[in-house]
Amino acid sequence: MSDLNKLGLAEARDLLRKGETTSVELTESCLSAIDAADALNAFVHKTPEIALERAKAADARIAEGDAPAMCGLPIGIKDLFCTKGVPSQAASRILEGFKPEYESTVSQNLADAGAVMLGKLNMDEFAMGSSNETSAYGNAISPWRRDGDTADITPGGSSGGSASAVSADLCLAATGTDTGGSIRQPAAFTGITGIKPTYGRCSRWGVVAFASSLDQAGPMTKNVRDAAIMLEAMCSHDPKDSTSADLAVPNFEAMLTGDIKGKKIGIPKEYRMDGMPGEIEKLWAEGAEMLKAAGAEIVDISLPHTKYALPAYYVIAPAEASSNLARYDGVRYGHRATLEAGDGITEMYEKTRAQGFGTEVQRRVMVGTYVLSAGFYDAYYNRARKVRTLIKKDFEDVFAAGVDAILTPATPSAAFGLGEMTDADPVQMYLNDVFTVTVNLAGLPGIAVPTGVNAQGLPLGLQLIGRPWEEGDLLNTAYALEGAAGFVAKPGKWW
């Protein structure tokens, strides 16, 4: 069977169980696709030897009848996850050459489940970005293009390499991380599915930190069923992560019935923004109609503090980043600048961080340091924390009123061209997160599902936000939306 790399996780799993293919064949198909797609710059550290070794072990495990759902399935790992003996540098020069002596809990869980790691995926530096243009490896490029145009398109960020690789069928699925939308936005930009689980559902241990109270790992897959399969394998309680929830992980795939009769879906009026493209408005209205036709009740809701979410996020996230990135100083971790005669410790710190961090990371560290400084802590950081509490309460009130999920756009537009936002005010780029940051601030699960294309043939996605710890119910609602939307578009191969 050719084109095995084009399969999803569920399809490949079923073929493996029937003996109609092997993990080695699946893996070789993906490795060939990766080597032929260097133009996308999605995979930045290829690990073919590890992949084939794990594939052989998986085939033996399947033959013995000991095979979890992910066993033998080739996936990519975002460069933010530490992987033992494999470069893990968060797309930053400051961690160049770093090969951890340990494995992140999430990547270990996947390895224990028999998943095959094909390599490490491109991303925005330290996960700070919405377009994968801040990476030390250079831009990741989307496999999609506008109709009749050869300009390179962003795959979104920060999990741009993951989105590009899954959309281009270089791997069957990939890990991503989401601090303010970095799974859901690139998934929507590239026509794939991405879920950010409830904060604490996946361990953060061994994931390079950006903003510790917001970061959460999740799967990026070709469809909702695959997301359910992979999420279950990634989740676990982890004593090494103090924020990890000690809760049983359900069989998410078994919860995919597609039956959402009687479910109450909220449409928040605050997400209707001035200047929103008509095609996003139309997509949102069509999504609500699809869920209504499937038996759900559509209700208008209010999340009154939504308008404060973006400014609150861009105080809290840089503040936590400033604290987390203080360790990269040339002494404890990472790159150390070459010093000149007469340079002291201060010059060493300054040169190291100036050379090691890119412009966007420097910007956010400076903003974060400013809002945490003595004269501004209460005026900015403490006030942002209070706003965060109000945002969380908005959601709690809506769910207490009986709403089961909330439907919103995933992004304010389709993907834009690489370089098109270079001269824009940074705030223009931050507006890409306008529909997604509330979910991180409130610690809720959210999923992006591809539901249409724009006038130029680029994918558009809708977002569903669920109750805390009810990823299974959220996935089932997404499954119903996916079935109704019938999205089947794929990028035309140009690379």
Side-chain angles (χ1 to χ4, degrees):
M1 184 177 176
S2 61
D3 293 338
L4 290 169
N5 55 300
K6 293 183 178 177
L7 296 171
L9 296 176
E11 297 169 291
R13 173 197 61 187
D14 295 346
L15 289 177
L16 286 170
R17 300 301 175 274
K18 292 176 190 168
E20 292 179 19
T21 190
T22 65
S23 178
V24 168
E25 289 171 338
L26 274 171
T27 302
E28 286 175 340
S29 180
C30 288
L31 291 173
S32 296
I34 291 165
D35 285 339
D38 286 345
L40 298 178
N41 200 29
F43 275 87
V44 290
H45 300 293
K46 301 175 187 178
T47 57
E49 297 85 2
I50 293 172
L52 289 168
E53 182 184 322
R54 290 191 185 178
K56 288 170 188 168
D59 282 333
R61 201 168 163 183
I62 292 165
E64 291 164 8
D66 166 34
M70 287 292 294
C71 191
L73 302 179
I75 60 170
I77 303 290
K78 185 177 179 178
D79 193 42
L80 207 63
F81 293 82
C82 288
T83 43
K84 187 174 181 179
V86 177
S88 307
Q89 64 183 83
S92 179
R93 289 187 181 86
I94 208 151
L95 279 173
E96 202 162 353
F98 175 55
K99 293 183 180 180
E101 287 303 311
Y102 54 89
E103 191 81 25
S104 78
T105 299
V106 164
S107 55
Q108 187 64 59
N109 286 349
L110 288 165
D112 291 346
V116 174
M117 180 177 76
L118 296 163
K120 303 297 286 292
L121 291 159
N122 204 348
M123 56 176 282
D124 280 299
E125 184 181 7
F126 281 106
M128 298 181 196
S130 303
S131 61
N132 215 131
E133 292 177 281
T134 71
S135 171
Y137 306 118
N139 301 341
I141 296 168
S142 173
W144 293 82
R145 285 187 162 171
R146 300 181 184 115
D147 289 344
D149 192 350
T150 58
D152 289 337
I153 297 293
T154 177
S158 66
S159 306
S162 300
S164 180
V166 174
S167 182
D169 294 319
L170 310 186
C171 52
L172 275 54
T175 62
T177 62
D178 193 310
T179 305
S182 288
I183 285 173
R184 291 160 289 148
Q185 183 249 27
F189 274 5
T190 56
I192 64 170
T193 299
I195 181 169
K196 181 205 92 72
T198 310
Y199 181 79
R201 181 63 96 176
C202 286
S203 171
R204 292 182 300 107
W205 193 85
V207 182
V208 178
F210 165 12
S212 303
S213 75
L214 301 163
D215 298 343
Q216 191 61 192
M220 301 180 73
T221 60
K222 297 178 184 179
N223 55 56
V224 173
R225 182 174 295 278
D226 289 359
I229 292 166
M230 189 168 173
L231 181 61
E232 183 183 348
M234 291 172 68
C235 294
S236 67
H237 171 58
D238 183 6
K240 297 195 290 290
D241 174 4
S242 62
T243 62
S244 172
D246 191 3
L247 289 173
V249 180
N251 181 341
F252 295 124
E253 187 185 10
M255 301 172 81
L256 300 180
T257 63
D259 181 4
I260 58 168
K261 289 184 180 67
K263 294 289 183 186
K264 196 178 279 192
I265 309 296
I267 307 293
K269 64 180 183 182
E270 290 79 11
Y271 282 59
R272 297 191 188 284
M273 299 176 58
D274 291 339
M276 184 191 289
E279 56 198 11
I280 299 287
E281 282 270 16
K282 182 170 177 282
L283 186 83
W284 191 9
E286 288 171 351
E289 282 302 314
M290 288 174 199
L291 293 173
K292 187 177 180 181
E297 180 188 353
I298 307 299
V299 296
D300 289 325
I301 61 169
S302 178
L303 299 167
H305 295 94
T306 294
K307 62 183 174 183
Y308 305 117
L310 211 58
Y313 174 84
Y314 278 103
V315 169
I316 292 168
E320 295 186 13
S322 168
S323 178
N324 278 324
L325 270 59
R327 71 193 72 175
Y328 304 108
D329 56 11
V331 178
R332 289 169 289 181
Y333 295 93
H335 165 81
R336 179 184 289 191
T338 303
L339 302 181
E340 298 172 8
D343 282 349
I345 188 77
T346 303
E347 288 80 11
M348 190 271 288
Y349 285 148
E350 289 173 350
K351 289 182 178 179
T352 291
R353 290 167 70 81
Q355 291 173 14
F357 291 146
T359 306
E360 183 60 30
V361 172
Q362 291 179 23
R363 178 186 291 121
R364 297 201 197 188
V365 166
M366 289 171 73
V367 169
T369 305
Y370 177 80
V371 301
L372 289 175
S373 60
F376 301 101
Y377 187 89
D378 284 328
Y380 293 108
Y381 185 64
N382 260 348
R383 187 171 294 182
R385 286 172 61 207
K386 289 172 184 172
V387 169
R388 180 181 191 172
T389 302
L390 293 171
I391 290 167
K392 190 167 185 286
K393 188 174 185 307
D394 285 349
F395 284 104
E396 288 168 353
D397 290 346
V398 164
F399 290 135
V403 168
D404 295 289
I406 298 166
L407 180 71
T408 79
T411 59
S413 69
F416 47 90
L418 287 165
E420 287 181 5
M421 300 280 272
T422 305
D423 298 324
D425 184 312
V427 174
Q428 286 296 114
M429 188 70 89
Y430 299 162
L431 286 170
N432 274 286
D433 304 329
V434 68
F435 298 128
T436 51
V437 295
T438 51
V439 179
N440 299 80
L441 289 167
L444 298 171
I447 186 168
V449 181
T451 46
V453 294
N454 75 350
Q456 297 171 309
L458 295 179
L460 298 171
L462 290 174
Q463 172 180 236
L464 283 160
I465 303 167
R467 296 167 175 263
W469 313 114
E470 295 188 14
E471 290 88 356
D473 195 53
L474 178 65
L475 282 158
N476 186 49
T477 305
Y479 186 60
L481 178 62
E482 176 186 65
F487 182 90
V488 292
K490 294 289 288 183
K493 187 169 180 184
W494 55 265
W495 61 92

